[in-house]
Amino acid sequence: MTDLSTLYDTDYSQWAQRNADLLRAGRFEELDITHLLEELSDMSKSDRRELHSRLLVLLAHLLKWEFQYHTLAERWREFDGRSWRTTIIEQREQLADLFSQSPGLKTVIEDSIATAYPAAVRLAYKETRLPRKTFPESCPYSREQIFDDEFYPERA
């Protein structure tokens, strides 16, 4: 085990700085390639998990916006979706930040929407207690609509 590899286990910050210095100096043969590859892979996984999580919440709230409002009791009609709107806005902002920090994620948006949508339906179903058949089988919102700050589905 190299000194750099040992450093990975004992002082991650120093390990990262040392690898950065080696990269800048062009001393590639001294890099801790094994751990660098592991870290890069984990970064990608972390970004994808965040993308999935934020899409799940955003899609669930778009579904609740569209399908639950009309089922609220009269005393809740004044509610008008303010908390849902806040969550939708926040998730769109967080997603925009994520894409600016990790632009490569834009290539997996369609797959991420398709993967997150069934989980969003489960979440909306559990939170609203509406029948599962209330929610469409596949995502009813286009990629453009999902990320459009002005888009809110028509309430059913």
Side-chain angles (χ1 to χ4, degrees):
M1 189 178 265
T2 68
D3 289 336
L4 199 51
S5 185
T6 302
L7 194 57
Y8 177 80
D9 295 325
T10 59
D11 188 342
Y12 179 83
S13 181
Q14 190 176 358
W15 170 86
Q17 184 59 52
R18 182 74 178 124
N19 275 288
D21 293 344
L22 290 170
L23 279 167
R24 281 188 206 91
R27 295 167 46 193
F28 306 120
E29 66 285 346
E30 296 176 51
L31 293 169
D32 182 3
I33 298 296
T34 302
H35 288 123
L36 281 170
L37 290 172
E38 187 177 310
E39 289 299 315
L40 289 171
S41 177
D42 286 349
M43 286 173 57
S44 173
K45 288 177 192 173
S46 176
D47 285 350
R48 286 177 185 235
R49 278 192 299 272
E50 182 177 356
L51 175 61
H52 175 84
S53 176
R54 295 200 177 280
L55 280 171
L56 185 156
V57 172
L58 175 57
L59 292 169
H61 277 75
L62 289 172
L63 289 169
K64 291 189 323 183
W65 179 277
E66 183 171 358
F67 296 102
Q68 187 182 25
Y69 181 78
H70 73 283
T71 68
L72 297 175
E74 199 58 43
R75 66 188 172 98
W76 287 100
R77 291 289 166 124
E78 65 192 44
F79 160 77
D80 81 3
R82 274 182 286 248
S83 68
W84 294 339
R85 182 185 300 274
T86 299
T87 300
I88 290 168
I89 291 168
E90 178 184 350
Q91 294 307 311
R92 285 175 171 157
E93 284 299 313
Q94 293 292 337
L95 283 162
D97 286 348
L98 181 61
F99 291 135
S100 70
Q101 294 169 17
S102 300
L105 288 175
K106 292 178 183 174
T107 63
V108 297
I109 292 174
E110 297 297 334
D111 287 341
S112 296
I113 292 168
T115 303
Y117 184 73
V121 168
R122 285 191 303 276
L123 182 60
Y125 163 74
K126 289 175 183 178
E127 289 183 1
T128 65
R129 299 185 185 256
L130 293 170
R132 279 190 191 255
K133 66 180 187 223
T134 301
F135 306 106
E137 290 278 327
S138 59
C139 186
Y141 316 117
S142 69
R143 173 183 177 167
E144 292 75 22
Q145 289 172 322
I146 291 168
F147 296 101
D148 180 355
D149 288 338
E150 303 302 316
F151 173 75
Y152 291 86
E154 293 293 322
R155 292 176 171 157

